[in-house]
PDB file of all heavy atoms in Angstrom:
ATOM      1  N   THR G   1      19.412  32.484   8.683  1.00 95.00           N
ATOM      2  CA  THR G   1      18.233  33.200   8.087  1.00 95.00           C
ATOM      3  C   THR G   1      16.955  32.997   8.931  1.00 95.00           C
ATOM      4  O   THR G   1      15.998  33.684   8.687  1.00 95.00           O
ATOM      5  CB  THR G   1      18.044  32.669   6.635  1.00 95.00           C
ATOM      6  OG1 THR G   1      17.830  31.259   6.675  1.00 95.00           O
ATOM      7  CG2 THR G   1      19.227  33.011   5.792  1.00 95.00           C
ATOM      8  N   ALA G   2      17.017  32.004   9.786  1.00 95.00           N
ATOM      9  CA  ALA G   2      15.815  31.795  10.666  1.00 95.00           C
ATOM     10  C   ALA G   2      16.260  31.131  11.952  1.00 95.00           C
ATOM     11  O   ALA G   2      17.296  30.439  11.991  1.00 95.00           O
ATOM     12  CB  ALA G   2      14.823  30.802   9.964  1.00 95.00           C
ATOM     13  N   MET G   3      15.533  31.417  13.032  1.00 96.00           N
ATOM     14  CA  MET G   3      15.835  30.874  14.338  1.00 96.00           C
ATOM     15  C   MET G   3      14.626  30.419  15.039  1.00 96.00           C
ATOM     16  O   MET G   3      13.518  30.999  14.827  1.00 96.00           O
ATOM     17  CB  MET G   3      16.650  31.882  15.211  1.00 96.00           C
ATOM     18  CG  MET G   3      17.896  32.343  14.558  1.00 96.00           C
ATOM     19  SD  MET G   3      19.077  33.061  15.715  1.00 96.00           S
ATOM     20  CE  MET G   3      19.828  31.573  16.412  1.00 96.00           C
ATOM     21  N   ALA G   4      14.719  29.374  15.888  1.00 96.00           N
ATOM     22  CA  ALA G   4      13.613  28.877  16.651  1.00 96.00           C
ATOM     23  C   ALA G   4      13.997  28.502  17.980  1.00 96.00           C
ATOM     24  O   ALA G   4      15.132  28.049  18.275  1.00 96.00           O
ATOM     25  CB  ALA G   4      13.022  27.636  15.896  1.00 96.00           C
ATOM     26  N   SER G   5      13.129  28.751  18.950  1.00 97.00           N
ATOM     27  CA  SER G   5      13.346  28.414  20.351  1.00 97.00           C
ATOM     28  C   SER G   5      12.162  27.494  20.839  1.00 97.00           C
ATOM     29  O   SER G   5      11.027  27.845  20.644  1.00 97.00           O
ATOM     30  CB  SER G   5      13.448  29.638  21.216  1.00 97.00           C
ATOM     31  OG  SER G   5      13.392  29.336  22.615  1.00 97.00           O
ATOM     32  N   ILE G   6      12.547  26.296  21.341  1.00 97.00           N
ATOM     33  CA  ILE G   6      11.540  25.264  21.680  1.00 97.00           C
ATOM     34  C   ILE G   6      11.882  24.710  23.090  1.00 97.00           C
ATOM     35  O   ILE G   6      13.070  24.546  23.404  1.00 97.00           O
ATOM     36  CB  ILE G   6      11.519  24.138  20.671  1.00 97.00           C
ATOM     37  CG1 ILE G   6      11.548  24.674  19.228  1.00 97.00           C
ATOM     38  CG2 ILE G   6      10.335  23.240  20.878  1.00 97.00           C
ATOM     39  CD1 ILE G   6      11.718  23.578  18.176  1.00 97.00           C
ATOM     40  N   GLU G   7      10.817  24.396  23.844  1.00 97.00           N
ATOM     41  CA  GLU G   7      11.101  23.743  25.102  1.00 97.00           C
ATOM     42  C   GLU G   7      11.526  22.304  24.885  1.00 97.00           C
ATOM     43  O   GLU G   7      10.971  21.603  24.032  1.00 97.00           O
ATOM     44  CB  GLU G   7       9.708  23.757  25.898  1.00 97.00           C
ATOM     45  CG  GLU G   7       9.998  23.481  27.406  1.00 97.00           C
ATOM     46  CD  GLU G   7       8.654  23.660  28.220  1.00 97.00           C
ATOM     47  OE1 GLU G   7       7.719  24.251  27.675  1.00 97.00           O
ATOM     48  OE2 GLU G   7       8.669  23.096  29.333  1.00 97.00           O
ATOM     49  N   VAL G   8      12.626  21.932  25.524  1.00 97.00           N
ATOM     50  CA  VAL G   8      13.274  20.665  25.232  1.00 97.00           C
ATOM     51  C   VAL G   8      12.463  19.448  25.600  1.00 97.00           C
ATOM     52  O   VAL G   8      12.248  18.536  24.754  1.00 97.00           O
ATOM     53  CB  VAL G   8      14.676  20.595  25.955  1.00 97.00           C
ATOM     54  CG1 VAL G   8      15.253  19.173  25.840  1.00 97.00           C
ATOM     55  CG2 VAL G   8      15.595  21.584  25.381  1.00 97.00           C
ATOM     56  N   ALA G   9      11.914  19.322  26.824  1.00 97.00           N
ATOM     57  CA  ALA G   9      11.204  18.099  27.282  1.00 97.00           C
ATOM     58  C   ALA G   9      10.052  17.733  26.333  1.00 97.00           C
ATOM     59  O   ALA G   9       9.945  16.566  25.914  1.00 97.00           O
ATOM     60  CB  ALA G   9      10.779  18.248  28.711  1.00 97.00           C
ATOM     61  N   PRO G  10       9.095  18.683  26.060  1.00 98.00           N
ATOM     62  CA  PRO G  10       8.011  18.291  25.144  1.00 98.00           C
ATOM     63  C   PRO G  10       8.489  17.850  23.781  1.00 98.00           C
ATOM     64  O   PRO G  10       7.900  17.015  23.119  1.00 98.00           O
ATOM     65  CB  PRO G  10       7.137  19.569  25.066  1.00 98.00           C
ATOM     66  CG  PRO G  10       7.512  20.402  26.244  1.00 98.00           C
ATOM     67  CD  PRO G  10       8.939  19.999  26.552  1.00 98.00           C
ATOM     68  N   LEU G  11       9.572  18.515  23.316  1.00 98.00           N
ATOM     69  CA  LEU G  11      10.127  18.197  21.972  1.00 98.00           C
ATOM     70  C   LEU G  11      10.665  16.767  22.012  1.00 98.00           C
ATOM     71  O   LEU G  11      10.457  15.981  21.081  1.00 98.00           O
ATOM     72  CB  LEU G  11      11.184  19.184  21.577  1.00 98.00           C
ATOM     73  CG  LEU G  11      11.907  18.964  20.196  1.00 98.00           C
ATOM     74  CD1 LEU G  11      10.862  18.944  19.085  1.00 98.00           C
ATOM     75  CD2 LEU G  11      12.963  20.041  19.979  1.00 98.00           C
ATOM     76  N   GLN G  12      11.390  16.412  23.066  1.00 97.00           N
ATOM     77  CA  GLN G  12      11.907  15.034  23.214  1.00 97.00           C
ATOM     78  C   GLN G  12      10.773  14.010  23.148  1.00 97.00           C
ATOM     79  O   GLN G  12      10.869  12.961  22.511  1.00 97.00           O
ATOM     80  CB  GLN G  12      12.711  14.871  24.442  1.00 97.00           C
ATOM     81  CG  GLN G  12      14.052  15.595  24.411  1.00 97.00           C
ATOM     82  CD  GLN G  12      14.787  15.601  25.779  1.00 97.00           C
ATOM     83  OE1 GLN G  12      14.148  15.882  26.782  1.00 97.00           O
ATOM     84  NE2 GLN G  12      16.045  15.259  25.780  1.00 97.00           N
ATOM     85  N   GLU G  13       9.706  14.317  23.887  1.00 97.00           N
ATOM     86  CA  GLU G  13       8.596  13.330  23.970  1.00 97.00           C
ATOM     87  C   GLU G  13       7.905  13.240  22.586  1.00 97.00           C
ATOM     88  O   GLU G  13       7.562  12.143  22.139  1.00 97.00           O
ATOM     89  CB  GLU G  13       7.560  13.831  24.997  1.00 97.00           C
ATOM     90  CG  GLU G  13       8.019  13.639  26.433  1.00 97.00           C
ATOM     91  CD  GLU G  13       8.169  12.114  26.753  1.00 97.00           C
ATOM     92  OE1 GLU G  13       7.153  11.395  26.539  1.00 97.00           O
ATOM     93  OE2 GLU G  13       9.222  11.652  27.121  1.00 97.00           O
ATOM     94  N   ALA G  14       7.737  14.349  21.883  1.00 96.00           N
ATOM     95  CA  ALA G  14       7.089  14.372  20.560  1.00 96.00           C
ATOM     96  C   ALA G  14       7.931  13.587  19.570  1.00 96.00           C
ATOM     97  O   ALA G  14       7.385  12.789  18.762  1.00 96.00           O
ATOM     98  CB  ALA G  14       6.886  15.794  20.117  1.00 96.00           C
ATOM     99  N   ILE G  15       9.251  13.761  19.633  1.00 95.00           N
ATOM    100  CA  ILE G  15      10.097  13.044  18.697  1.00 95.00           C
ATOM    101  C   ILE G  15      10.034  11.533  18.974  1.00 95.00           C
ATOM    102  O   ILE G  15       9.984  10.743  18.062  1.00 95.00           O
ATOM    103  CB  ILE G  15      11.595  13.506  18.855  1.00 95.00           C
ATOM    104  CG1 ILE G  15      11.745  14.900  18.336  1.00 95.00           C
ATOM    105  CG2 ILE G  15      12.565  12.561  18.126  1.00 95.00           C
ATOM    106  CD1 ILE G  15      13.072  15.568  18.738  1.00 95.00           C
ATOM    107  N   ARG G  16       9.990  11.171  20.240  1.00 94.00           N
ATOM    108  CA  ARG G  16       9.868   9.758  20.625  1.00 94.00           C
ATOM    109  C   ARG G  16       8.630   9.124  20.029  1.00 94.00           C
ATOM    110  O   ARG G  16       8.681   8.042  19.483  1.00 94.00           O
ATOM    111  CB  ARG G  16       9.890   9.616  22.131  1.00 94.00           C
ATOM    112  CG  ARG G  16       9.902   8.157  22.624  1.00 94.00           C
ATOM    113  CD  ARG G  16      10.000   8.151  24.190  1.00 94.00           C
ATOM    114  NE  ARG G  16       8.875   8.777  24.832  1.00 94.00           N
ATOM    115  CZ  ARG G  16       7.704   8.183  24.996  1.00 94.00           C
ATOM    116  NH1 ARG G  16       7.481   6.945  24.578  1.00 94.00           N
ATOM    117  NH2 ARG G  16       6.766   8.800  25.609  1.00 94.00           N
ATOM    118  N   ARG G  17       7.491   9.855  20.106  1.00 94.00           N
ATOM    119  CA  ARG G  17       6.224   9.330  19.611  1.00 94.00           C
ATOM    120  C   ARG G  17       6.239   9.304  18.052  1.00 94.00           C
ATOM    121  O   ARG G  17       5.885   8.293  17.457  1.00 94.00           O
ATOM    122  CB  ARG G  17       5.087  10.188  20.121  1.00 94.00           C
ATOM    123  CG  ARG G  17       4.733   9.969  21.579  1.00 94.00           C
ATOM    124  CD  ARG G  17       3.445  10.654  21.929  1.00 94.00           C
ATOM    125  NE  ARG G  17       3.665  12.131  22.059  1.00 94.00           N
ATOM    126  CZ  ARG G  17       4.045  12.748  23.160  1.00 94.00           C
ATOM    127  NH1 ARG G  17       4.243  12.064  24.259  1.00 94.00           N
ATOM    128  NH2 ARG G  17       4.186  14.054  23.223  1.00 94.00           N
ATOM    129  N   VAL G  18       6.542  10.384  17.444  1.00 93.00           N
ATOM    130  CA  VAL G  18       6.469  10.512  16.008  1.00 93.00           C
ATOM    131  C   VAL G  18       7.436   9.593  15.279  1.00 93.00           C
ATOM    132  O   VAL G  18       7.121   9.008  14.230  1.00 93.00           O
ATOM    133  CB  VAL G  18       6.656  12.032  15.560  1.00 93.00           C
ATOM    134  CG1 VAL G  18       6.724  12.111  14.014  1.00 93.00           C
ATOM    135  CG2 VAL G  18       5.498  12.850  16.073  1.00 93.00           C
ATOM    136  N   SER G  19       8.607   9.428  15.873  1.00 90.00           N
ATOM    137  CA  SER G  19       9.659   8.612  15.221  1.00 90.00           C
ATOM    138  C   SER G  19       9.297   7.121  15.189  1.00 90.00           C
ATOM    139  O   SER G  19       9.986   6.304  14.500  1.00 90.00           O
ATOM    140  CB  SER G  19      11.004   8.815  15.833  1.00 90.00           C
ATOM    141  OG  SER G  19      11.067   8.487  17.191  1.00 90.00           O
ATOM    142  N   LEU G  20       8.278   6.716  15.946  1.00 89.00           N
ATOM    143  CA  LEU G  20       7.750   5.318  15.838  1.00 89.00           C
ATOM    144  C   LEU G  20       7.346   5.025  14.415  1.00 89.00           C
ATOM    145  O   LEU G  20       7.352   3.828  14.037  1.00 89.00           O
ATOM    146  CB  LEU G  20       6.602   5.126  16.796  1.00 89.00           C
ATOM    147  CG  LEU G  20       6.927   5.227  18.310  1.00 89.00           C
ATOM    148  CD1 LEU G  20       5.639   5.193  19.151  1.00 89.00           C
ATOM    149  CD2 LEU G  20       7.898   4.104  18.750  1.00 89.00           C
ATOM    150  N   LEU G  21       6.980   6.070  13.684  1.00 85.00           N
ATOM    151  CA  LEU G  21       6.506   5.852  12.297  1.00 85.00           C
ATOM    152  C   LEU G  21       7.591   6.189  11.265  1.00 85.00           C
ATOM    153  O   LEU G  21       7.239   6.255  10.038  1.00 85.00           O
ATOM    154  CB  LEU G  21       5.252   6.692  12.000  1.00 85.00           C
ATOM    155  CG  LEU G  21       3.899   6.104  12.415  1.00 85.00           C
ATOM    156  CD1 LEU G  21       3.610   4.885  11.557  1.00 85.00           C
ATOM    157  CD2 LEU G  21       3.824   5.701  13.838  1.00 85.00           C
ATOM    158  N   THR G  22       8.801   6.400  11.664  1.00 81.00           N
ATOM    159  CA  THR G  22       9.880   6.636  10.700  1.00 81.00           C
ATOM    160  C   THR G  22      10.348   5.278  10.119  1.00 81.00           C
ATOM    161  O   THR G  22      10.393   4.239  10.843  1.00 81.00           O
ATOM    162  CB  THR G  22      11.098   7.399  11.324  1.00 81.00           C
ATOM    163  OG1 THR G  22      11.617   6.563  12.400  1.00 81.00           O
ATOM    164  CG2 THR G  22      10.751   8.737  11.749  1.00 81.00           C
ATOM    165  N   ASP G  23      10.613   5.301   8.825  1.00 71.00           N
ATOM    166  CA  ASP G  23      11.048   4.071   8.180  1.00 71.00           C
ATOM    167  C   ASP G  23      12.524   3.819   8.428  1.00 71.00           C
ATOM    168  O   ASP G  23      13.409   4.586   7.983  1.00 71.00           O
ATOM    169  CB  ASP G  23      10.825   4.277   6.661  1.00 71.00           C
ATOM    170  CG  ASP G  23      11.070   2.985   5.885  1.00 71.00           C
ATOM    171  OD1 ASP G  23      11.143   1.897   6.549  1.00 71.00           O
ATOM    172  OD2 ASP G  23      11.187   3.090   4.645  1.00 71.00           O
ATOM    173  N   ARG G  24      12.840   2.836   9.280  1.00 68.00           N
ATOM    174  CA  ARG G  24      14.209   2.427   9.656  1.00 68.00           C
ATOM    175  C   ARG G  24      14.943   3.693  10.221  1.00 68.00           C
ATOM    176  O   ARG G  24      16.115   3.918   9.824  1.00 68.00           O
ATOM    177  CB  ARG G  24      14.934   1.868   8.513  1.00 68.00           C
ATOM    178  CG  ARG G  24      14.398   0.502   8.064  1.00 68.00           C
ATOM    179  CD  ARG G  24      15.315  -0.142   7.012  1.00 68.00           C
ATOM    180  NE  ARG G  24      15.602   0.736   5.855  1.00 68.00           N
ATOM    181  CZ  ARG G  24      14.825   0.911   4.903  1.00 68.00           C
ATOM    182  NH1 ARG G  24      13.640   0.270   4.826  1.00 68.00           N
ATOM    183  NH2 ARG G  24      15.093   1.701   3.853  1.00 68.00           N
ATOM    184  N   ASN G  25      14.291   4.457  11.083  1.00 61.00           N
ATOM    185  CA  ASN G  25      14.916   5.616  11.643  1.00 61.00           C
ATOM    186  C   ASN G  25      15.378   6.688  10.678  1.00 61.00           C
ATOM    187  O   ASN G  25      16.322   7.410  10.902  1.00 61.00           O
ATOM    188  CB  ASN G  25      16.097   5.159  12.514  1.00 61.00           C
ATOM    189  CG  ASN G  25      16.249   5.987  13.786  1.00 61.00           C
ATOM    190  OD1 ASN G  25      15.275   6.596  14.235  1.00 61.00           O
ATOM    191  ND2 ASN G  25      17.356   5.987  14.375  1.00 61.00           N
ATOM    192  N   ALA G  26      14.726   6.715   9.518  1.00 80.00           N
ATOM    193  CA  ALA G  26      15.297   7.468   8.397  1.00 80.00           C
ATOM    194  C   ALA G  26      15.196   9.011   8.655  1.00 80.00           C
ATOM    195  O   ALA G  26      16.217   9.684   8.589  1.00 80.00           O
ATOM    196  CB  ALA G  26      14.521   7.120   7.089  1.00 80.00           C
ATOM    197  N   GLN G  27      14.032   9.553   8.811  1.00 90.00           N
ATOM    198  CA  GLN G  27      13.917  11.017   8.964  1.00 90.00           C
ATOM    199  C   GLN G  27      12.632  11.394   9.701  1.00 90.00           C
ATOM    200  O   GLN G  27      11.605  10.695   9.700  1.00 90.00           O
ATOM    201  CB  GLN G  27      14.005  11.723   7.651  1.00 90.00           C
ATOM    202  CG  GLN G  27      12.831  11.452   6.725  1.00 90.00           C
ATOM    203  CD  GLN G  27      12.839  12.376   5.508  1.00 90.00           C
ATOM    204  OE1 GLN G  27      11.992  13.237   5.433  1.00 90.00           O
ATOM    205  NE2 GLN G  27      13.815  12.250   4.616  1.00 90.00           N
ATOM    206  N   ILE G  28      12.741  12.537  10.367  1.00 94.00           N
ATOM    207  CA  ILE G  28      11.603  13.183  10.955  1.00 94.00           C
ATOM    208  C   ILE G  28      11.616  14.635  10.483  1.00 94.00           C
ATOM    209  O   ILE G  28      12.644  15.315  10.464  1.00 94.00           O
ATOM    210  CB  ILE G  28      11.699  13.165  12.518  1.00 94.00           C
ATOM    211  CG1 ILE G  28      10.341  13.518  13.144  1.00 94.00           C
ATOM    212  CG2 ILE G  28      12.819  13.985  13.104  1.00 94.00           C
ATOM    213  CD1 ILE G  28      10.268  13.005  14.575  1.00 94.00           C
ATOM    214  N   ARG G  29      10.498  15.085   9.950  1.00 94.00           N
ATOM    215  CA  ARG G  29      10.407  16.443   9.331  1.00 94.00           C
ATOM    216  C   ARG G  29       9.925  17.417  10.457  1.00 94.00           C
ATOM    217  O   ARG G  29       9.129  17.112  11.259  1.00 94.00           O
ATOM    218  CB  ARG G  29       9.357  16.472   8.213  1.00 94.00           C
ATOM    219  CG  ARG G  29       9.800  15.724   6.986  1.00 94.00           C
ATOM    220  CD  ARG G  29       8.876  15.894   5.768  1.00 94.00           C
ATOM    221  NE  ARG G  29       7.460  15.571   6.087  1.00 94.00           N
ATOM    222  CZ  ARG G  29       7.005  14.332   6.213  1.00 94.00           C
ATOM    223  NH1 ARG G  29       7.818  13.282   6.110  1.00 94.00           N
ATOM    224  NH2 ARG G  29       5.718  14.109   6.396  1.00 94.00           N
ATOM    225  N   MET G  30      10.541  18.634  10.324  1.00 96.00           N
ATOM    226  CA  MET G  30      10.165  19.685  11.213  1.00 96.00           C
ATOM    227  C   MET G  30       9.724  20.885  10.352  1.00 96.00           C
ATOM    228  O   MET G  30      10.461  21.368   9.539  1.00 96.00           O
ATOM    229  CB  MET G  30      11.395  20.104  12.154  1.00 96.00           C
ATOM    230  CG  MET G  30      11.895  19.010  13.003  1.00 96.00           C
ATOM    231  SD  MET G  30      13.270  19.484  14.071  1.00 96.00           S
ATOM    232  CE  MET G  30      12.412  20.382  15.390  1.00 96.00           C
ATOM    233  N   GLU G  31       8.425  21.162  10.495  1.00 96.00           N
ATOM    234  CA  GLU G  31       7.768  22.229   9.708  1.00 96.00           C
ATOM    235  C   GLU G  31       7.508  23.438  10.646  1.00 96.00           C
ATOM    236  O   GLU G  31       6.606  23.426  11.440  1.00 96.00           O
ATOM    237  CB  GLU G  31       6.499  21.660   9.021  1.00 96.00           C
ATOM    238  CG  GLU G  31       6.746  20.496   8.208  1.00 96.00           C
ATOM    239  CD  GLU G  31       5.468  19.736   7.766  1.00 96.00           C
ATOM    240  OE1 GLU G  31       4.371  20.322   7.991  1.00 96.00           O
ATOM    241  OE2 GLU G  31       5.515  18.644   7.238  1.00 96.00           O
ATOM    242  N   PHE G  32       8.339  24.454  10.477  1.00 97.00           N
ATOM    243  CA  PHE G  32       8.233  25.692  11.345  1.00 97.00           C
ATOM    244  C   PHE G  32       7.343  26.709  10.679  1.00 97.00           C
ATOM    245  O   PHE G  32       7.444  26.933   9.472  1.00 97.00           O
ATOM    246  CB  PHE G  32       9.603  26.265  11.623  1.00 97.00           C
ATOM    247  CG  PHE G  32      10.533  25.395  12.404  1.00 97.00           C
ATOM    248  CD1 PHE G  32      11.324  24.404  11.774  1.00 97.00           C
ATOM    249  CD2 PHE G  32      10.553  25.539  13.767  1.00 97.00           C
ATOM    250  CE1 PHE G  32      12.221  23.620  12.538  1.00 97.00           C
ATOM    251  CE2 PHE G  32      11.479  24.720  14.582  1.00 97.00           C
ATOM    252  CZ  PHE G  32      12.215  23.810  13.959  1.00 97.00           C
ATOM    253  N   SER G  33       6.528  27.339  11.521  1.00 96.00           N
ATOM    254  CA  SER G  33       5.716  28.530  11.031  1.00 96.00           C
ATOM    255  C   SER G  33       5.551  29.393  12.281  1.00 96.00           C
ATOM    256  O   SER G  33       5.954  29.058  13.393  1.00 96.00           O
ATOM    257  CB  SER G  33       4.458  28.146  10.421  1.00 96.00           C
ATOM    258  OG  SER G  33       3.636  27.304  11.286  1.00 96.00           O
TER     259      SER G  33
END
């Protein structure tokens, strides 16, 4: 019902930074618009 295309390298870097604040590696939210 929905599709997204994202550049891989910046996404990997962003996940690495944001996931520093995940509680025991629990979850990272992706909010698409």
Side-chain angles (χ1 to χ4, degrees):
T1 57
M3 302 201 78
S5 169
I6 315 170
E7 198 174 342
V8 171
L11 180 57
Q12 288 172 312
E13 286 296 305
I15 292 168
R16 185 176 61 81
R17 286 187 287 268
V18 173
S19 62
L20 294 171
L21 272 295
T22 56
D23 187 15
R24 295 188 307 280
N25 216 21
Q27 64 168 250
I28 192 162
R29 290 186 307 285
M30 300 181 77
E31 302 169 8
F32 293 88
S33 55

